[in-house]
């Protein structure tokens, strides 16, 4: 979400379609989105967020993988049964020809077990990796539709844990639960049927043992582990969130003396996750012991029943080894089911966390049939516009009227929370109005594709993302075919060219992660240069001087207004320096325009703008070094 202000459209980038701000808006049909809200469980999530043709391919591969897995287990069972018979029969020293069929069957089962297992793993992993690839794309597309207005309540670390860890966890639903359980059921049924044919009493004992180990123990495991598994995914999210906070804010936390406390909170989150993982591991050990105990009891019961059957003549002695050894192979199929149940619960919890994000209300609804794009955005009009953030109790903007023509510049001022950033999101069509109209050259913006709007209206945001690359590559996000002359011209207009030319590597100078090698003012000027390079007809400057000291902020604001002269511009700011250069000033308060006019007109009358001026003068006088600043003013 931090990169939203600088990432271009998801479509192939060229000089005519580049947008350095605003996320792409790939479409998902209303039918598929509605389906994603109704389904439950990991399987439903995977099905709802992906296409039907892809699902058909997955189903075929997973079906064949299930068959191959069952055949591999059947071969293992057959190998044990035939081996027991062969050993017993060979002890009677019959002619070798009598043993050839069993010898051949032993080889076939041994080879078949390895071949079927290999093919099952190949098909199942191929299918699941395809599923995860499509799911990741679908999840990212959905997040693009939600960002930034629809993800305001989700922290970056937790969102990262959901998009990476929770998506990866969906593979366990198939690889470690569905396929093993299905194959185990088929192989166990075959083993029970064969044992019933040999010795009904032993078959009944094997059936009871398999039901206990394959149904009762996993069911008990599910009950015992439900609470732990429900807490594991959120615990991972908390640890990821705190880790990201520490890694991205180490310098600020150190200066503020808050780093030890944040490190302690991260360590506490790690201890919580470790304790939950230890509890889960203890449950695994308990269930493994139960499976082993049930296996031993079943084999003992089969041996006792087999000996009794041989004694009374109802079973020939050569089959006794088969009756005793076959349960060992049969229990191999169900031994992993308790752990499979845990993986199923873990995947279900991860799917629920993904669904919480994917089913968040959409801030923008793309039209089914977008209108024809206008040749230009002018006149850009807001008429009685009201806008609300998803889940908000009251509108962030109410009844806003605004008109922009080519070259007209408007400043929007107000205290924090007045609705300034909401206005920027609405102009970029990252948030749809709930009432009123927003038109571009007479065309309703909500009838246009979002990418079309963002090619006409661009953004230079206060948190514009600077990528860990060179000056050249950061600039060329706006125009991939731009030559060095255009790049230098953009830097000069942003008052950054002289500084960049003095660098040893010039445009090839690395800027560091998130622009860490640049000052705050240089980062904002680089973002402005990128926006100017994109050549938007309308440019929205959202708090460009935020987080800067007063002299730097005032100088940057002046340079921004100079660089955008002759371009339709909306300057959103809480700073009042330099606003005499704009055509009109709008004062927002609680989402309403409470005052509007030129800087001189508003400063001459009592009202909110004059109060803001007095408050700004008071803050400036109280700031260190304010005397020299005021003298310079």
């Amino acid at each position: 979400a931090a990169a939203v202000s600088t990432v271009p459209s998801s479509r192939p980038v060229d000089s005519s379609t580049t947008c350095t701000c605003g996320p792409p808006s790939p479409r998902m049909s209303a039918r598929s989105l509605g389906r994603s809200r109704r389904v439950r469980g990991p399987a439903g999530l995977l099905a709802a967020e992906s296409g039907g043709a892809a699902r058909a391919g997955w189903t075929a591969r997973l079906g064949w993988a299930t068959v191959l897995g069952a055949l591999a287990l059947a071969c293992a069972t057959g190998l044990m049964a035939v081996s027991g018979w062969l050993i017993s029969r060979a002890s009677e020293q019959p002619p070798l020809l009598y043993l050839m069929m069993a010898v051949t069957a032993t080889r076939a089962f041994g080879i078949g077990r390895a071949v079927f297992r290999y093919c099952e793993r190949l098909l199942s992993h191929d299918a699941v990796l395809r599923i995860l690839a499509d799911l990741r794309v679908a999840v990212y597309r959905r997040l693009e539709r939600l960002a930034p207005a629809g993800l305001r309540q989700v922290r970056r670390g937790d969102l990262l844990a959901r998009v990476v860890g929770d998506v990866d966890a969906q593979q366990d639903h198939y690889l470690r639960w569905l396929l093993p359980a299905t194959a185990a059921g088929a192989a166990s049924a075959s083993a029970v049927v064969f044992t019933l044919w040999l010795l009904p009493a032993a078959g009944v004992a094997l059936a009871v043992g398999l039901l206990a180990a394959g149904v009762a123990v996993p069911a008990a495991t599910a009950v015992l582990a439900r609470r732990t598994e429900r807490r594991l995914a959120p615990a991972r999210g908390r640890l990821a969130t705190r880790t990201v906070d520490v890694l991205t804010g180490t310098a600020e936390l150190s200066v503020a003396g808050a780093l030890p406390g944040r490190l302690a909170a991260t360590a506490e989150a790690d201890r919580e996750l470790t304790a939950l993982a230890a509890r889960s591991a203890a449950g695994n050990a308990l269930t493994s012991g139960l499976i082993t105990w049930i296996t031993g009891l079943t084999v003992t019961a089969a041996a006792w029943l087999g000996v009794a059957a041989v004694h009374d003549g109802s079973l020939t002695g050569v089959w006794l080894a088969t009756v005793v050894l076959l349960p060992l192979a049969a229990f191999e199929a169900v031994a992993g089911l308790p752990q499979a149940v845990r993986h199923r619960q873990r995947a279900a919890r991860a799917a629920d966390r993904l669904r919480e994000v994917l089913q968040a209300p959409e801030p923008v609804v793309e039209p089914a049939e977008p209108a024809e794009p206008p040749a230009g955005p002018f006149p850009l009009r807001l008429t009685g516009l009201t806008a609300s953030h998803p889940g908000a109790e009251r509108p962030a903007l109410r009844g806003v009227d605004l008109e922009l023509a080519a070259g007209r510049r408007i400043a929007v001022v107000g205290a924090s929370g007045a609705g300034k950033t909401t206005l920027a999101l609405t102009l970029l069509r990252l948030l749809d109005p709930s009432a009123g109209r927003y038109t571009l050259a007479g065309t309703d913006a909500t009838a246009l594709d979002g990418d079309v709007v963002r090619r006409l209206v661009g953004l230079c945001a206060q948190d514009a993302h600077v990528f860990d690359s060179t000056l050249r590559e950061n600039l060329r996000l706006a125009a991939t075919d731009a030559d060095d002359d255009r790049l230098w011209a953009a830097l000069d207009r942003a008052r950054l060219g002289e500084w960049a030319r003095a660098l040893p590597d010039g445009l090839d100078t690395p800027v560091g992660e998130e622009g860490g090698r640049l000052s705050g003012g240089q980062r904002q000027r680089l973002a402005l240069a990128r926006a100017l390079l994109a050549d938007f007809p309308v440019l929205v400057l959202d708090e460009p001087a935020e987080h800067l000291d007063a002299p730097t902020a005032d100088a940057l604001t002046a340079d921004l207004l100079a660089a955008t002269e002759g371009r339709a511009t909306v300057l959103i700011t809480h700073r009042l320096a330099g606003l005499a250069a704009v055509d009109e000033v709008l004062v927002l308060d609680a989402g309403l325009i409470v005052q509007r006019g030129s800087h001189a007109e508003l400063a001459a009358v009592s009202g909110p703008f004059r109060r803001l001026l007095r408050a700004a003068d008071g803050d400036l006088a109280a700031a260190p070094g304010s005397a020299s600043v005021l003298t310079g003013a």
Side-chain angles (χ1 to χ4, degrees):
V4 163
S5 60
T6 57
V7 178
S9 164
S10 61
R11 300 172 181 175
V13 178
D14 56 41
S15 59
S16 64
T17 62
T18 301
C19 175
T20 62
C21 57
S25 57
R27 298 184 190 84
M28 293 180 66
S29 68
R31 180 180 302 175
S32 68
L33 292 178
R35 189 164 55 238
S36 71
R37 286 174 170 83
R38 292 193 298 268
V39 296
R40 296 292 298 171
L45 177 70
L46 295 173
E49 296 298 334
S50 306
R55 292 200 300 273
W58 307 337
T59 303
R61 285 181 173 85
L62 291 172
W64 280 111
T66 302
V67 171
L68 292 171
L71 287 175
L73 290 173
C75 284
T77 304
L79 179 63
M80 188 70 77
V82 174
S83 298
W85 183 90
L86 183 60
I87 293 171
S88 299
R89 186 71 177 94
S91 67
E92 299 176 348
Q93 298 183 350
L96 184 61
L97 188 61
Y98 290 9
L99 304 178
M100 288 306 297
M101 183 174 291
V103 171
T104 303
T106 301
R107 290 177 177 174
F109 284 137
I111 295 173
R113 178 185 183 184
V115 171
F116 289 139
R117 180 62 68 193
Y118 175 80
C119 293
E120 178 267 327
R121 294 293 172 87
L122 189 65
L123 270 179
S124 62
H125 282 73
D126 177 68
V128 171
L129 289 176
R130 290 172 184 267
I131 289 172
L132 293 186
D134 288 343
L135 180 60
R136 286 191 187 97
V137 172
V139 168
Y140 185 72
R141 285 178 174 172
R142 178 67 172 161
L143 291 176
E144 286 180 324
R145 292 291 304 277
L146 294 172
L151 297 174
R152 296 165 62 88
Q153 304 301 321
V154 183
R155 300 189 68 180
R156 286 188 298 171
D158 185 53
L159 183 61
L160 179 66
R162 297 187 193 216
V163 173
V164 178
D166 290 345
V167 169
D168 286 343
Q170 301 311 302
Q171 65 183 315
D172 293 340
H173 176 77
Y174 288 103
L175 295 179
R176 298 187 177 184
W177 158 247
L178 191 59
L179 293 178
T182 305
S188 298
S190 301
V192 169
V193 169
F194 182 73
T195 307
L196 285 171
W197 175 73
L198 278 181
L199 184 62
V204 171
L206 178 58
V208 171
L210 288 174
L211 285 173
V215 178
V217 173
T221 301
V223 173
L224 294 174
R226 184 171 291 118
R227 183 180 179 186
T228 299
E229 297 301 328
R230 185 183 295 117
R231 295 170 59 191
L232 269 173
R236 292 192 188 96
R238 284 191 292 274
L239 179 59
T241 297
R242 293 177 181 179
T243 302
V244 169
D245 288 345
V246 169
L247 292 177
T248 57
T250 301
E252 291 79 1
L253 292 171
S254 298
V255 171
L259 184 59
R262 290 300 181 94
L263 290 175
T266 304
E268 177 60 30
D270 179 66
R271 283 192 294 271
E272 178 189 6
L273 182 58
T274 301
L276 290 172
R279 191 178 305 171
S280 179
N284 290 340
L286 177 61
T287 54
S288 297
L290 284 174
I291 294 290
T292 303
W293 181 66
I294 294 172
T295 302
L297 287 179
T298 304
V299 171
T300 301
W304 183 78
L305 292 170
V307 169
V310 170
H311 184 267
D312 62 22
S314 59
L315 180 71
T316 57
V318 74
W319 288 105
L320 178 60
T322 299
V323 171
V324 174
L325 293 177
L326 192 143
L328 291 175
F331 274 94
E332 178 186 341
V334 301
L337 290 185
Q339 182 65 14
V341 169
R342 291 179 178 272
H343 286 298
R344 175 183 176 274
Q345 290 185 336
R346 196 167 299 168
R349 298 288 82 75
D352 289 341
R353 280 167 48 80
L354 279 174
R355 193 175 292 105
E356 288 176 5
V357 174
L358 298 178
Q359 294 181 2
E362 285 188 54
V364 174
V365 178
E366 294 289 351
E369 296 182 3
E372 189 69 22
F378 305 113
L380 183 154
R381 286 195 180 97
L382 303 182
T383 307
L385 185 136
T386 297
S388 301
H389 291 283
E393 296 181 357
R394 63 181 183 85
L397 288 176
R398 293 178 288 170
V400 173
D401 295 320
L402 182 149
E403 182 171 343
L404 267 182
R408 181 174 175 80
R409 297 191 293 177
I410 293 177
V412 181
V413 301
S416 297
K420 302 188 300 296
T421 298
T422 303
L423 177 61
L425 295 175
T426 305
L427 290 172
L428 288 157
R429 200 158 180 259
L430 299 175
L431 182 67
D432 274 346
S434 54
R437 294 195 69 197
Y438 170 25
T439 60
L440 297 167
T443 303
D444 197 320
T446 59
L448 294 171
D449 186 288
D451 287 344
V452 170
V453 175
R454 287 184 286 277
R455 283 196 292 270
L456 299 173
V457 183
L459 172 70
C460 180
Q462 60 176 309
D463 56 353
H465 190 76
V466 177
F467 291 87
D468 188 4
S469 184
T470 63
L471 288 172
R472 173 183 282 106
E473 294 306 316
N474 271 280
L475 288 170
R476 292 185 68 191
L477 285 172
T480 56
D481 60 346
D483 57 20
D484 285 1
D485 290 339
R486 287 183 62 190
L487 301 183
W488 283 116
L491 289 173
D492 287 337
R493 293 175 65 190
R495 304 291 179 90
L496 204 59
E498 183 178 352
W499 167 80
R501 287 186 177 89
L503 297 172
D505 296 324
L507 292 174
D508 294 319
T509 302
V511 299
E513 185 177 358
E514 296 187 0
R517 297 185 180 182
L518 308 179
S519 68
Q522 289 169 341
R523 283 196 297 272
Q524 285 302 116
R525 292 176 188 275
L526 179 59
L528 174 63
R530 185 164 55 195
L532 294 173
L533 189 63
D535 198 24
F536 296 111
V538 178
L539 183 59
V540 179
L541 305 173
D542 183 16
E543 299 282 9
E546 185 74 0
H547 311 310
L548 301 178
D549 60 89
T552 303
D554 292 343
L556 177 61
T557 301
D559 289 343
L560 289 173
L561 292 173
T564 58
E565 188 172 358
R567 182 188 303 272
T569 306
V570 178
L571 172 61
I572 296 173
T573 181
H574 69 277
R575 302 192 60 82
L576 306 183
L579 297 190
V582 303
D583 300 303
E584 185 180 22
V585 178
L586 276 61
V587 182
L588 276 179
D589 184 24
L592 292 170
I593 296 180
V594 294
Q595 213 176 8
R596 66 192 309 162
S598 68
H599 182 278
E601 292 171 346
L602 298 181
V605 299
S606 61
F609 187 76
R610 179 180 283 185
R611 288 196 295 271
L612 289 173
L613 281 175
R614 290 173 178 171
D617 290 341
D619 291 342
L620 190 60
S626 58
S628 59
V629 174
L630 290 172
T631 302

